[in-house]
Amino acid sequence: MPPPPDLLVIRLDELQEDIEEVQQVVAKAETRHERLKVLREAGASAADRLRTARKEAHDAALDAEGTEFHDALESLSVSLKDVAAQIRQINETVADFDRAMIHLKEAEDINNRCGQILDDVRDIRSKVRGGELSYADAWAAFDDLSDTRCRTLFSDYVDLLGGLTLRDTGLDDRISELTDALLDELGTELLALPARPADAAPVEGAPSLGSLIKLWFPEWTIWGVPLFGYDAGLAWVGRGTPLAAQLLAAEPAGSRGCLVADAYATYALGPAYASAAILLRMRTPAAGDPGASPAEAARAHVILRILRALGESGTFGAVVGIVEECWHEAVRQRGGQIEPANRDELDRFADRAVSTLDNVTTLRRFDSQLWDREARSVLDLLRIADSGGPPPETVRGLLNAAWAARLEKFDNRAYVNAIGTKAKRLWTPRHGGAGEKRPGSSIHPPRKPGYGTTFLPR
Amino acid sequence: MTTNPGFLTQVRQEIAEMEQIEAALHREHGLGTTSAQVRDEFSVLLRERTRELAELADAGAADWARLDQLRAGRLAAVKAAALGVLEGILLRAHPLYADVTLAAERVLDDLVDRTGVRRDVLLSVASTERFERTVGIIRMRFPDVTVWGLPILAHELGHMVASTLPAPGQSSARPVEEYVSTEAEMEAATTGADPTQARHRLHELFADVYATYALGPAYPLAVLTLRARPDRFDDATPTHPSWTRRMWTMVEATREMGLLAASPLVAQAYRRDANVLVLPRWFEVHGERQLDERAQRTTRRQAKALVALLDRNAPPRLRYDGTIDADGLSQRLAAGSEENAAPGAVLNAAWRWRTANPQADPETTRRVSTVAVASLRTVPA
């Protein structure tokens, strides 16, 4: 009687197959650019041929003898014109797809991870066969591999493919593209990818998508886009420049880079970041609430202090004032403390952050002057119903204008939705093929959980 | 015909002077941006006085008492006004005063335009800022050539606005005057105050509210820093309310502008002007003393009513735009950049800079003022 099948071997084979499947599908994902290229070239060729055909039909109509023949050629010419218009439309759609698609340097990252797991699978198998590993230890190693590293890999893989599909098809309402453009303005090489909601995704091992930031569903709205300034801040910290190191060293104990990322985002994005972070995300500290987060009070304090240093007057100051009043009122309602216990320390940090970030040559402070230059005219456009207008100079100007407009009638949901829609409509990508212009990079250091992954270290 | 040649000579001399003044004013090309309407009003006034003198000469008797009356009550004011105008003209041409005079004219022209009163004012100098009703002269303070005192001209213009601002669709109505009279009577009845004094004081409060409404925090900051007397904060005079009352009225007026604003952003901007910019400065010099409850109620009520008068009767563009980035403009002025901005924006930017830099040395303060004045005299394209 043959020995019963070795269950461990079956499981290891199965795992190996799954991993190889991931490798294949990720490789295939990159071929979508090739397929699109074929489509693009076919569209261009068809347009050329049609142009020639139309010219020939037109010339023939001029030379035609006999009314019937002439009319037939005229009719053909009109039909060809219609077809040309349809092909133009198809080509424009293809161009939209092309713009939304990104090239994945992450494929390499996932391949590497797959390769490491496959090595481990082979290692377990050979060690069991060689008697170097007991079955009990081999099962424990398998469980570890399967339950942690593989599970994370598969989740990322699903996120990656799902996100790519959503981006490619434009189902994310082009928010990923808008976020990419913002990240580009902030000087990072990060790219946004639609993903599952935070609670449903694995929390551990979050940095698995390399330079891709997860844009949680259903927050694919313009209002959450400024939150990615935080991820840009984390990326800056991760670069380990002397200035970043200096600022990290000045951070109050236990902040784990969080306040530096907040400072970076606030400095670079101005009131839009404060509006999104404080009004949409932060949990107000409450008296006697074990879940209350004093860290959030500290973060709000730092964000608001930095904004005051960037400008007190005009609409800039007014937006900050409204956010501040709103936050303080909510804290009061929950019986919490508005002033964080370590206020002086936080003030020193905030002041230090502004002076340090002033020295980062690649970063421009979004102060009240820049607000006036980049957001004021956009705000005027947003206020007028059904108005078109020139595209905003920058995404951060657009986001600031949109948030300012929202705060003007924050309790009118229809108005807020209309502002969001209009703001998205005003934005047009400045270059075709975001992926070609800014390929994702896998050279970034491991990321700490950010707004796109988990908002706060708890 | 009178038989007294001495009397006749003196009357004719007065007539000749009136004619001389008229000729001088009409010949003068240095009246700046003053409109023909103001010149015509001056002419009418001079002819009226000439006619009164001619009647006196034709009366047949040497009525010395009447001549004295005319001189003191009717002619002196016209001559003083004419002298003021001519002084202003001379100063306008003087290299030291030309810039600030042009800047002041631009501030006033802008205010008159935004108020919609269709009346220009003449500009001259005096030992302190004041408004003279005879022909509508606003006097700048001599020898100030800086930007810092310019917001106070808005207060002086406010006196003219009080007597000329019509109600919508009722060109002969004078809603500010009506309110001031009614409110003064009520105040006199309830507090025992002298009704005339109460009226004068309310006029001053209206002028303060007008300047604050049209120029924003630049005005309260300017009067608080340059004119208010710490040793007399709580003292009222027969014509002026106490500084405490005036400052609180300006703060309450700014808050009221916030309450009237349709947009929460605009409302927030006004609130911040009142609570973050002006009030802390006032507390700094005055201490954090509040008005007593009754005075507080009255101040709020009057500030609310005075702002409502402007809100109802003046064009919306008179209201200072609190959403302008005065901080940014202020930084650019401090950096020496001449800015092509609205006069109100320049004045606010300058005063924000000065408030934020109380320890600045006189040379720096002068330099910022010079840039601000130069920005003001630049007429936008």
Side-chain angles (χ1 to χ4, degrees):
Chain A
M1 185 177 153
D6 187 333
L7 193 56
L8 180 63
V9 171
I10 292 173
R11 296 285 169 87
L12 285 169
D13 286 347
E14 177 71 12
L15 193 57
Q16 184 168 345
E17 203 174 316
D18 288 347
I19 302 290
E20 284 165 355
E21 176 72 12
V22 171
Q23 280 181 313
Q24 279 173 22
V25 176
V26 170
K28 268 186 199 165
E30 273 307 82
T31 65
R32 71 206 203 291
H33 291 283
E34 289 304 316
R35 293 200 298 274
L36 199 63
K37 190 180 168 197
V38 170
L39 200 56
R40 202 169 52 230
E41 285 170 357
S45 165
D48 274 350
R49 286 179 180 207
L50 262 174
R51 234 186 328 272
T52 310
R54 281 181 65 197
K55 187 176 181 312
E56 285 170 3
H58 177 72
D59 292 347
L62 288 178
D63 298 340
E65 288 175 9
T67 315
E68 205 173 308
F69 185 47
H70 178 271
D71 289 350
L73 284 170
E74 279 289 320
S75 169
L76 176 64
S77 183
V78 170
S79 300
L80 287 174
K81 192 178 172 188
D82 290 345
V83 175
Q86 284 165 2
I87 287 190
R88 199 163 47 243
Q89 204 172 0
I90 291 168
N91 286 343
E92 280 168 11
T93 309
V94 170
D96 279 346
F97 279 131
D98 194 32
R99 198 163 40 235
M101 277 188 185
I102 49 174
H103 284 278
L104 286 175
K105 285 290 173 71
E106 278 59 37
E108 194 184 327
D109 174 59
I110 290 188
N111 267 330
N112 287 341
R113 287 167 62 196
C114 289
Q116 284 166 11
I117 294 171
L118 286 174
D119 286 347
D120 288 349
V121 169
R122 290 186 198 108
D123 192 45
I124 295 170
R125 194 184 281 137
S126 77
K127 280 181 176 166
V128 170
R129 280 185 193 148
E132 295 168 56
L133 203 63
S134 70
Y135 260 81
D137 288 345
W139 272 109
F142 170 80
D143 285 346
D144 181 53
L145 204 59
S146 167
D147 292 350
T148 55
R149 286 168 60 195
C150 287
R151 194 176 150 208
T152 310
L153 176 76
F154 295 152
S155 296
D156 289 344
Y157 153 83
V158 170
D159 277 350
L160 180 70
L161 295 184
L164 284 179
T165 308
L166 287 166
R167 267 193 78 118
D168 291 356
T169 51
L171 287 176
D172 66 340
D173 216 7
R174 296 173 64 212
I175 288 297
S176 308
E177 283 179 75
L178 187 69
T179 309
D180 288 349
L182 175 71
L183 293 167
D184 192 28
E185 278 174 24
L186 297 183
T188 71
E189 291 185 351
L190 301 171
L191 291 168
L193 196 70
R196 293 172 296 154
D199 289 341
V203 173
E204 297 302 321
S208 50
L209 287 188
S211 63
L212 292 178
I213 297 178
K214 292 177 185 174
L215 190 65
W216 297 125
F217 177 84
E219 295 171 359
W220 301 336
T221 70
I222 197 166
W223 309 114
V225 173
L227 297 173
F228 290 94
Y230 183 90
D231 293 85
L234 289 179
W236 178 71
V237 170
R239 262 174 243 154
T241 61
L243 287 174
Q246 227 177 62
L247 199 53
L248 262 181
E251 204 181 43
S255 305
R256 293 187 282 158
C258 212
L259 291 179
V260 177
D262 275 329
Y264 185 96
T266 309
Y267 184 93
L269 286 178
Y273 178 70
S275 306
I278 295 178
L279 301 184
L280 296 185
R281 287 293 186 89
M282 287 194 183
R283 180 173 175 180
T284 48
D289 176 359
S293 174
E296 305 219 350
R299 296 181 63 201
H301 185 84
V302 165
I303 290 171
L304 292 168
R305 173 126 181 144
I306 289 175
L307 284 172
R308 292 282 171 240
L310 298 180
E312 291 264 14
S313 67
T315 311
F316 183 101
V319 172
V320 178
I322 288 178
V323 172
E324 186 175 45
E325 282 179 4
C326 195
W327 171 252
H328 288 174
E329 183 56 28
V331 175
R332 264 192 292 271
Q333 284 167 357
R334 299 196 71 188
Q337 285 289 320
I338 288 173
E339 294 283 340
N342 58 340
R343 181 200 160 131
D344 291 346
E345 188 186 13
L346 292 170
D347 285 351
R348 278 195 301 277
F349 168 76
D351 297 347
R352 177 78 179 272
V354 173
S355 58
T356 304
L357 292 168
D358 275 342
N359 291 320
V360 179
T361 49
T362 52
L363 192 63
R364 189 165 184 200
R365 52 155 63 192
F366 197 87
D367 57 14
S368 59
Q369 290 196 62
L370 208 56
W371 201 104
D372 249 32
R373 198 171 318 145
E374 294 184 0
R376 193 176 178 86
S377 58
V378 186
L379 175 60
D380 290 341
L381 275 179
L382 290 174
R383 280 169 171 157
I384 306 165
D386 300 325
S387 70
E393 204 179 313
T394 60
V395 176
R396 59 185 180 181
L398 174 71
L399 296 174
N400 272 282
W403 263 106
R406 177 176 180 165
L407 291 177
E408 286 196 301
K409 292 183 188 171
F410 53 87
D411 51 353
N412 182 337
R413 287 185 64 188
Y415 173 82
V416 170
N417 289 340
I419 289 292
T421 306
K422 198 168 170 186
K424 271 185 293 185
R425 218 169 45 218
L426 278 179
W427 181 76
T428 47
R430 292 200 180 284
H431 47 73
E436 283 172 28
K437 177 93 178 175
R438 307 177 45 243
S441 161
S442 57
I443 58 167
H444 286 284
R447 291 168 55 244
K448 296 179 185 180
Y451 268 110
T453 48
T454 50
F455 178 49
L456 265 181
R458 301 265 181 198
Chain B
M1 237 358 203
T2 178
T3 53
N4 188 328
F7 180 78
L8 200 57
T9 305
Q10 288 198 18
V11 173
R12 282 183 178 153
Q13 177 62 28
E14 293 291 355
I15 291 173
E17 284 174 12
M18 290 294 116
E19 288 168 348
Q20 194 180 338
I21 289 171
E22 189 179 358
L25 289 174
H26 268 269
R27 230 185 7 249
E28 187 49 63
H29 297 294
L31 280 169
T33 53
T34 306
S35 71
Q37 186 191 355
V38 176
R39 298 177 196 222
D40 291 346
E41 280 179 19
F42 217 131
S43 291
V44 169
L45 191 71
L46 290 166
R47 282 177 195 176
E48 172 65 12
R49 298 293 178 269
T50 305
R51 191 185 54 75
E52 287 170 353
L53 287 164
E55 281 174 7
L56 193 61
D58 294 343
D63 190 347
W64 287 101
R66 172 72 185 135
L67 179 60
D68 285 346
Q69 262 180 2
L70 266 180
R71 276 174 168 160
R74 312 278 280 169
L75 304 181
V78 175
K79 286 179 186 173
L83 181 62
V85 172
L86 291 171
E87 282 169 351
I89 291 165
L90 292 174
L91 278 175
R92 200 172 185 274
H94 192 284
L96 186 63
Y97 291 93
D99 283 352
V100 77
T101 311
L102 288 174
E105 279 177 359
R106 187 159 167 240
V107 170
L108 290 172
D109 286 349
D110 174 68
L111 286 170
V112 165
D113 176 53
R114 287 196 283 137
T115 312
V117 284
R118 295 186 197 150
R119 171 175 174 155
D120 292 346
V121 284
L122 292 164
L123 190 63
S124 186
V125 290
S127 58
T128 187
E129 294 93 351
R130 65 170 187 263
F131 173 67
E132 289 171 7
R133 291 178 190 281
T134 320
V135 285
I137 296 181
I138 286 178
R139 297 212 184 228
M140 295 165 62
R141 185 168 172 274
F142 182 85
D144 193 358
V145 291
T146 67
V147 75
W148 310 117
L150 293 183
I152 300 172
L153 299 181
H155 169 97
E156 304 308 333
L157 184 68
H159 290 299
M160 190 269 276
V161 172
S163 55
T164 51
L165 186 70
Q170 294 173 275
S171 57
S172 59
R174 294 293 176 264
V176 179
E177 295 286 7
E178 284 166 25
Y179 168 79
V180 166
S181 297
T182 313
E183 180 70 14
E185 278 170 28
M186 195 173 83
E187 203 169 301
T190 51
T191 65
D194 178 86
T196 309
Q197 288 187 9
R199 199 163 44 247
H200 284 319
R201 289 173 185 164
L202 276 161
H203 257 291
E204 291 299 328
L205 290 179
F206 171 76
D208 282 338
V209 169
Y210 170 80
T212 307
Y213 187 89
L215 281 189
Y219 174 68
L221 291 173
V223 281
L224 171 60
T225 310
L226 302 178
R227 301 287 180 267
R229 287 274 303 264
D231 57 331
R232 297 180 194 162
F233 277 151
D234 298 325
D235 299 341
T237 71
T239 53
H240 286 69
S242 69
W243 279 110
T244 307
R245 178 74 178 275
R246 291 179 66 180
M247 285 309 302
W248 276 110
T249 304
M250 294 175 220
V251 168
E252 291 296 347
T254 311
R255 287 174 174 166
E256 181 62 23
M257 286 162 72
L259 291 175
L260 287 177
S263 156
L265 286 176
V266 180
Q268 175 70 222
Y270 289 134
R271 268 206 305 280
R272 290 191 61 77
D273 280 347
N275 301 338
V276 180
L277 194 59
V278 177
L279 207 51
R281 177 83 187 107
W282 170 239
F283 284 159
E284 232 171 68
V285 297
H286 178 252
E288 293 197 22
R289 278 177 289 148
Q290 302 284 337
L291 289 169
D292 66 58
E293 203 178 316
R294 182 175 168 172
Q296 220 171 66
R297 270 204 311 272
T298 309
T299 302
R300 273 188 201 142
R301 182 172 51 76
Q302 289 176 346
K304 186 181 166 78
L306 293 170
V307 167
L309 278 169
L310 290 167
D311 190 57
R312 276 199 299 268
N313 301 304
R317 65 199 172 94
L318 174 63
R319 198 182 309 117
Y320 165 70
D321 182 358
T323 64
I324 287 175
D325 174 32
D327 281 340
L329 192 52
S330 159
Q331 285 164 25
R332 295 197 290 279
L333 290 181
S337 163
E338 285 181 27
E339 294 292 313
N340 188 352
V346 174
L347 294 177
N348 274 284
W351 266 104
R352 269 180 186 265
W353 177 85
R354 191 163 178 181
T355 308
N357 298 277
Q359 305 301 330
D361 60 83
E363 180 50 41
T364 310
T365 308
R366 218 174 1 253
R367 188 170 45 75
V368 174
S369 164
T370 305
V371 178
V373 167
S375 301
L376 283 171
R377 53 169 296 185
T378 310
V379 178

